[in-house]
């Protein structure tokens, strides 16, 4: 079992729950939540990304260090009546870090490094979770979620890689093509943890009002 913040990219899905409408929670409508204390900075959430491939050209991207600031998030929950919840998570974030890239064509290759910028952006994911109350914490188990998330990135490395590709493509009879490479390098596909993992959300990560509202929601959901 893991404690938040988790290492990898579950920040995009595992920020469950609360801050909703004032007053009693309606019994049979979706609810939207936000945990204000989770709107903060996180370090080293993701290590790698899916490779970019175009014919014989392959670019492996990794980021050993990042600082990601989560500015807002909203989670829309719908109880399914079996103790699980359909979930749609919206997040807004930005950050910076270190980008490392290895570009190769057959046996030829070159390494690049530069600063990485994650521009201010939003992302939306859907899935299904189980939420259980335990002493001093909530336990969130992912039952289904996307295999990856696409994140916008900015770096001088992208221009360097395009230049390297174009030089390779200029060699007579070269099989390398660089069309669309600049667009492909404007984002990274980041793997998400596989479903079935349980994460801990401590009571101190919520305000007193948020805990009361979350408990009320879970109580109503359990009566469906």
């Amino acid at each position: 079992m893991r404690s938040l913040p988790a290492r990898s990219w579950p920040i995009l899905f595992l920020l469950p729950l609360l801050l909703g409408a004032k007053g009693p929670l309606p019994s049979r409508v979706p609810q939207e939540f936000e945990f204000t204390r989770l709107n903060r900075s996180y370090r080293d959430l993701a290590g790698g990304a899916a490779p970019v491939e175009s014919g014989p050209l392959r670019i492996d991207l990794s980021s050993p260090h990042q600082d990601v600031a989560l500015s807002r998030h909203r989670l829309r929950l719908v109880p399914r009546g079996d103790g699980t919840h359909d979930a749609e998570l919206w997040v807004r974030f930005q950050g910076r870090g270190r980008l490392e890239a290895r570009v190769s064509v057959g046996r030829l290759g070159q390494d690049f490094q530069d600063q990485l910028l994650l521009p201010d952006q939003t992302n939306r994911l859907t899935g299904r979770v189980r939420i259980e109350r335990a002493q001093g914490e909530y336990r969130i188990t992912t039952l289904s979620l996307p295999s990856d998330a696409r994140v916008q990135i900015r770096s001088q490395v992208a221009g360097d890689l395009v230049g390297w590709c174009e030089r390779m493509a200029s060699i007579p009879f070269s099989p390398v093509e660089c069309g669309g490479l600049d667009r492909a390098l404007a984002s990274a596909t980041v793997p998400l943890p596989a479903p079935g993992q349980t994460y801990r959300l401590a009571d101190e990560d919520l305000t007193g009002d948020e805990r009361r509202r979350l408990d009320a929601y879970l109580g109503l959901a359990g009566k469906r």
Side-chain angles (χ1 to χ4, degrees):
M1 186 177 296
R2 300 181 181 182
S3 299
L4 293 180
R7 182 177 174 84
S8 71
W9 199 252
I11 185 176
L12 291 178
F13 196 82
L14 299 168
L15 294 175
L17 296 157
L18 195 55
L19 188 68
K22 301 293 184 180
L25 295 173
S27 60
R28 292 191 178 274
V29 297
Q31 298 296 317
E32 287 193 356
F33 306 105
E34 182 175 14
F35 286 150
T36 54
R37 290 179 180 174
L38 295 182
N39 293 333
R40 63 193 186 209
S41 294
Y42 298 83
R43 298 196 66 184
D44 300 341
L45 292 168
V52 176
E53 296 181 284
S54 177
L57 178 71
R58 177 186 172 103
I59 302 173
D60 292 286
L61 300 173
S62 63
S63 178
H65 303 293
Q66 328 93 40
D67 287 293
V68 180
L70 179 69
S71 56
R72 293 294 309 274
H73 69 276
R74 290 195 305 270
L75 183 66
R76 183 177 184 269
L77 290 174
V78 182
R80 295 173 61 96
D82 59 357
T84 69
H85 309 261
D86 289 324
E88 180 182 78
L89 178 66
W90 173 91
V91 292
R92 182 172 183 175
F93 62 96
Q94 59 183 320
R96 59 182 62 247
R98 186 73 179 170
L99 180 65
E100 297 179 355
R102 171 69 177 176
V103 57
S104 57
V105 178
R107 297 181 179 181
L108 298 177
Q110 186 169 340
D111 295 320
F112 296 84
Q113 295 185 3
D114 191 28
Q115 294 300 308
L116 170 69
L117 174 66
L118 301 176
D120 186 24
Q121 60 191 284
T122 63
N123 210 316
R124 190 181 303 271
L125 298 172
T126 59
R128 185 162 63 96
V129 299
R130 184 183 302 278
I131 307 166
E132 299 173 295
R133 187 68 165 114
Q135 184 174 2
E137 66 185 25
Y138 299 86
R139 295 174 182 172
I140 303 100
T141 301
T142 58
L143 303 177
S144 68
L145 70 163
S147 60
D148 52 51
R150 199 155 187 85
V151 180
Q152 299 174 41
I153 62 174
R154 301 287 184 272
S155 175
Q156 181 60 43
V157 163
D160 295 340
L161 291 173
V162 171
W164 189 91
C165 181
E166 290 175 343
R167 289 193 297 273
M168 292 296 298
S170 67
I171 299 175
F173 309 109
S174 171
V176 176
E177 295 183 1
C178 305
L181 184 59
D182 54 344
R183 293 189 299 274
L185 292 171
S187 62
T189 301
V190 181
L192 294 177
Q197 300 188 49
T198 298
Y199 298 84
R200 299 164 53 192
L201 183 62
D203 282 356
E204 54 263 31
D205 285 325
L206 288 73
T207 67
D209 184 58
E210 289 169 352
R211 288 196 303 272
R212 287 188 291 271
R213 292 169 186 265
L214 175 55
D215 290 339
Y217 169 80
L218 294 176
L220 286 174
K223 296 177 181 178
R224 295 171 189 270

